[in-house]
Amino acid sequence: MQIGLIGLGKMGGNMRDRIRAAGHEVVGYDTDQKISDAKDLKDLVSKLSAPRVVWVMVPAGKVTDSVIDDLSDLLEAGDLIVDGGNSKFTDDERHAQELDKKGIAFVDCGVSGGVWGKEAGYGLMCGGSDKDVERVMPVFDALRPEGPRDEGWVHAGDVGAGHYVKMVHNGIEYGMMQAYAEGYELLAAKEIVKDVPAAFKAWTRGTVVRSWLQELMATALAKDPGFDKISGFVNDSGEGRWTVQEAVEYGVPMPVISASLFARFVSRQDDSPAMQAVAAMRNEFGGHPVTLKGQKGIVTDH
């Protein structure tokens, strides 16, 4: 299969490598011409054979809107766009309606896996029509983890459903990281506990709290046992806010995820060991930048 891929950053570049390793042709475009296969979007489209599939992997919001708008003027009826960024699900319906006027199909796909996805595979959550999702299936199969398809990929429903599931996934992630971080802070505060990093490492096998995030916490502690190099300033990328907003809309009790979101807001005012732990875990699984001690934290989510 041939596919265009826009955005070759920390995730997009690794996705290009994984798709190519599966035997598919990828034409990638990035504003960094050193890593780009095309000089601009027009050149990328010209290198693809109709009917085209173009995967957009750029920051959510205005950047994604701009790229999809530009593509809509370059693509033709019968082509298809996949939004693989962390877009808000409400943006998907708008994109799909605008593209449909030109006969261009749209699929949304939430992607999880961070900087580790190239080797381990990516968790994929898709929304769109059966026909459109099936059309991209060779690429989905190339990106997802090895093993049964339904253990790393889901066609969650109509347009927007993929990003909605990814939103809730990230909300759960907020709560899990906060629990590990608070446990770390209590262990670090107790005088009789002499080796906190070893405790987290011991939890990676045989315990009910073991998980990939917990393993990453143990890895982060091995690198910096007291998180002496990391500020407790923690960003949020939007999905946690949207999850809590949806919980309010539907009257769904969500005390853990809500508290974990507000804890991130607190981190931007007061340094805390728990927030240092959350910052370290985000850096481990997603390559998200950390704010070092002495640096001023910058809110990048909005």
Side-chain angles (χ1 to χ4, degrees):
M1 180 176 174
Q2 183 191 56
I3 188 169
L5 179 59
I6 300 171
L8 304 174
K10 286 178 293 188
M11 287 192 58
N14 285 341
M15 289 168 64
R16 175 174 62 175
D17 292 343
R18 187 172 175 90
I19 296 169
R20 284 178 173 171
H24 302 293
E25 179 185 353
V26 183
V27 180
Y29 169 70
D30 195 274
T31 53
D32 182 353
Q33 286 294 296
K34 295 191 296 293
I35 59 175
S36 185
D37 305 315
K39 62 183 181 181
D40 52 30
L41 292 182
K42 184 176 181 181
D43 186 40
L44 176 137
V45 171
S46 72
K47 294 177 183 292
L48 300 173
S49 301
R52 307 168 187 86
V53 174
V54 181
W55 188 302
V56 178
M57 202 69 192
V58 299
K62 293 181 181 179
V63 178
T64 294
D65 287 346
S66 176
V67 171
I68 291 178
D69 287 345
D70 290 344
L71 280 175
S72 70
D73 293 331
L74 296 169
L75 296 175
E76 302 171 339
D79 294 342
L80 184 151
I81 293 176
V82 180
D83 178 6
N86 279 330
S87 295
K88 192 172 184 180
F89 67 95
T90 51
D91 292 343
D92 296 323
E93 185 175 354
R94 171 170 53 84
H95 289 147
Q97 290 175 349
E98 291 300 316
L99 291 169
D100 185 61
K101 296 175 183 178
K102 299 184 178 183
I104 302 170
F106 179 83
V107 169
D108 62 286
C109 184
V111 181
S112 181
V115 295
W116 299 88
K118 178 178 177 179
E119 302 300 327
Y122 298 90
L124 305 173
M125 296 143 265
C126 306
S129 71
D130 291 343
K131 180 180 70 173
D132 294 336
V133 170
E134 184 62 33
R135 184 172 162 187
V136 194
M137 193 61 71
V139 172
F140 292 149
D141 281 340
L143 289 172
R144 67 177 177 82
E146 294 182 8
R149 181 185 286 168
D150 60 0
E151 292 181 4
W153 173 92
V154 62
H155 179 189
D158 299 332
V159 165
H163 280 145
Y164 196 93
V165 171
K166 177 59 162 51
M167 175 193 75
V168 175
H169 165 282
N170 283 24
I172 293 170
E173 177 188 293
Y174 278 39
M176 291 175 66
M177 287 196 289
Q178 187 65 27
Y180 289 133
E182 291 174 7
Y184 159 76
E185 182 166 359
L186 182 58
L187 289 174
K190 188 64 176 177
E191 297 83 355
I192 62 173
V193 179
K194 303 302 183 184
D195 197 340
V196 176
F200 268 87
K201 186 175 182 179
W203 289 349
T204 58
R205 290 182 183 272
T207 72
V208 296
V209 299
R210 68 188 185 276
S211 72
W212 185 44
L213 279 174
Q214 189 268 321
E215 291 176 11
L216 294 174
M217 177 68 170
T219 299
L221 281 168
K223 294 178 180 177
D224 185 5
F227 295 135
D228 296 324
K229 300 176 183 178
I230 299 176
S231 163
F233 182 99
V234 181
N235 266 307
D236 69 286
S237 53
E239 296 92 338
R241 298 186 188 208
W242 305 336
T243 302
V244 172
Q245 289 166 358
E246 284 292 292
V248 172
E249 178 68 21
Y250 286 90
V252 175
M254 201 166 277
V256 172
I257 295 175
S258 299
S260 67
L261 174 65
F262 293 132
R264 294 195 181 194
F265 297 163
V266 170
S267 81
R268 299 168 197 177
Q269 300 171 351
D270 302 304
D271 216 10
S272 93
M275 289 299 100
Q276 287 175 298
V278 172
M281 282 187 281
R282 291 183 84 239
N283 179 253
E284 289 297 327
F285 76 75
H288 300 292
V290 297
T291 302
L292 301 180
K293 292 239 175 128
Q295 292 181 341
K296 182 179 179 181
I298 299 175
V299 179
T300 58
D301 48 307
H302 292 284

